[in-house]
Amino acid sequence: MRSDTTPAIQLVGLQKNFGSTVAVDNLDLEIRQGEFFSMLGPSGSGKTTVLRLIAGFETVSAGQVFLDGQDVTKSAPFDRDVNTVFQDYALFPHMNVIENVAYGLRVRGVGKAERLAAANEALATVQLSALATRKPSELSGGQRQRVALARAIVVRPKVLLLDEPLGALDLKLREQMQIELKDLQRKLGITFIFVTHDQEEALTLSDRVAVFNNGRIEQLGTPRQLYEEPASAFVAGFVGTSNIFATTEAKALVGATSAVSIRPERLQLTKTASVDAGAMSLPGRVTEVIYLGAAARVIVSCQGIPITVLYQFEAGPTPERDSEVFVTLRQADLVSLGN
């Protein structure tokens, strides 16, 4: 029986094997109603397989899939109240925009007048009303992506699945579409499940993120939790840029008894050692300076261990290669990785 606390999606003991390969390994997960949820991970980590299991495009090897409290594990894709937006958009080239958007309603037997009205409303939602009569070949990549979104939302699914839908766009357009996608999700109130290998995209869009590794969830949390409190070296290294020191390195550099990580923006470069009681300064030599526009990435060798520092230009002239510096950090900024 559904209640306001019923998860939009619940996965229980989900398993998917391809022969001897375990793609999804005994996964338990709940995704909330109206949530923008991202599944993040490298290629082969299991995230896309999970999406396909939710959609019904793959059959489960073990476990259950619940949609809005109903067991849909054995249901066909067309019997699940979900819709999918793919990376290649999969628009029909012989149909114009309005016909593409209305197609799902046409298949469901909705009358012409009603489906055209709904399609026009969906196009207005994605700000493409003026392009209703164009063919997909006459549209830009961003416009085709919005048509695919309109086609997916016109049937008002309970859950919208997005399989790396921004992957084919250039950087500037992708950043623009990230903002539009999040705004659209807020307006519709539909649960979005977004698959990506781009950590910046996941942090930008999501209410929560599951970081996948080897068919399992390595860590689940808000973007801030994943970035500031990584639970493992894998998460620290995959979500953003981080300096990760194994136990022996951590002991030599900062006196820690286990592996630790620290973000480059938490470090400072100074010409002299800090006298602040809450800080420590590591002597080192600059081995590389990489200009990033708003800042520079400076690589410093400390005891032969490379440390990356994000150097803000307002701090003064950028240190030059081979110059002697101190990398200053605060103990409170070190994150224990517990291994």
Side-chain angles (χ1 to χ4, degrees):
M1 180 116 181
R2 187 191 185 284
S3 71
D4 290 340
T5 58
T6 301
I9 293 290
Q10 184 179 15
L11 309 178
V12 180
L14 198 64
Q15 184 90 12
K16 180 60 182 178
N17 305 325
F18 294 101
S20 60
T21 301
V22 179
V24 180
D25 190 6
N26 194 30
L27 183 71
D28 294 317
L29 176 64
E30 290 188 1
I31 299 173
R32 302 163 186 159
Q33 300 282 347
E35 184 173 33
F36 199 125
F37 187 92
S38 287
M39 296 191 287
L40 172 68
S43 297
S45 61
K47 61 189 187 301
T48 297
T49 302
V50 171
L51 193 82
R52 293 179 62 82
L53 291 169
I54 293 171
F57 299 144
E58 297 283 356
T59 57
V60 305
S61 300
Q64 294 172 286
V65 178
F66 292 88
L67 170 61
D68 208 25
Q70 300 296 313
D71 188 346
V72 297
T73 309
K74 297 182 180 179
S75 300
F78 51 80
D79 287 330
R80 304 185 187 201
D81 197 0
V82 302
N83 219 336
T84 307
V85 178
F86 299 98
Q87 183 174 342
D88 62 3
Y89 314 139
L91 301 178
F92 298 114
H94 63 287
M95 295 182 182
N96 64 23
V97 167
I98 193 73
E99 290 167 340
N100 264 284
V101 174
Y103 181 77
L105 296 174
R106 178 182 167 188
V107 170
R108 286 166 172 77
V110 176
K112 184 175 181 180
E114 185 181 347
R115 71 175 181 256
L116 287 178
N120 277 309
E121 182 182 350
L123 281 177
T125 300
V126 297
Q127 301 176 15
L128 283 183
S129 297
L131 304 182
T133 59
R134 291 192 185 181
K135 293 289 181 64
S137 61
E138 300 174 298
L139 305 177
S140 68
Q143 290 166 341
R144 288 196 295 272
Q145 195 258 10
R146 281 187 274 175
V147 172
L149 281 170
R151 186 178 61 181
I153 66 175
V154 74
V155 297
R156 295 290 173 173
K158 285 189 172 73
V159 176
L160 187 62
L161 308 175
L162 301 109
D163 187 9
E164 304 203 40
L166 309 183
L169 305 180
D170 62 60
L171 177 60
K172 198 146 188 93
L173 183 55
R174 190 160 68 244
E175 291 175 345
Q176 176 189 334
M177 290 308 303
Q178 287 171 7
I179 296 170
E180 293 186 10
L181 196 60
K182 182 61 178 175
D183 183 57
L184 178 64
Q185 191 265 340
R186 286 196 182 108
K187 287 178 180 176
L188 296 173
I190 295 173
T191 303
F192 277 29
I193 303 178
F194 190 88
V195 164
T196 182
H197 63 272
D198 185 325
Q199 51 87 18
E200 184 175 333
E201 198 164 79
L203 297 182
T204 299
L205 290 169
S206 312
D207 298 315
R208 289 190 303 155
V209 181
V211 181
F212 278 73
N213 185 28
N214 293 326
R216 292 176 172 269
I217 294 176
E218 190 90 4
Q219 187 173 354
L220 172 63
T222 65
R224 182 179 293 274
Q225 287 170 336
L226 295 180
Y227 190 83
E228 297 187 359
E229 303 167 24
S232 67
F234 176 83
V235 176
F238 193 78
V239 180
T241 302
S242 194
N243 294 288
I244 301 170
F245 306 123
T247 302
T248 53
E249 295 174 330
K251 184 175 182 180
L253 287 172
V254 296
T257 57
S258 65
V260 297
S261 70
I262 189 167
R263 298 292 181 183
E265 66 270 21
R266 298 289 189 180
L267 302 170
Q268 292 182 317
L269 289 182
T270 55
K271 292 182 178 180
T272 58
S274 173
V275 295
D276 188 335
M280 66 173 62
S281 294
L282 310 174
R285 181 178 59 84
V286 175
T287 59
E288 191 60 81
V289 178
I290 303 167
Y291 178 73
L292 300 177
R297 183 179 297 131
V298 181
I299 314 298
V300 182
S301 176
C302 297
Q303 300 184 40
I305 300 169
I307 299 177
T308 300
V309 180
L310 188 67
Y311 188 80
Q312 304 294 339
F313 294 130
E314 58 263 29
T318 309
E320 297 181 354
R321 287 185 62 188
D322 293 325
S323 60
E324 302 294 327
V325 296
F326 286 90
V327 177
T328 298
L329 60 92
R330 305 184 71 83
Q331 286 276 6
D333 291 329
L334 291 168
V335 177
S336 175
L337 301 176
N339 51 31

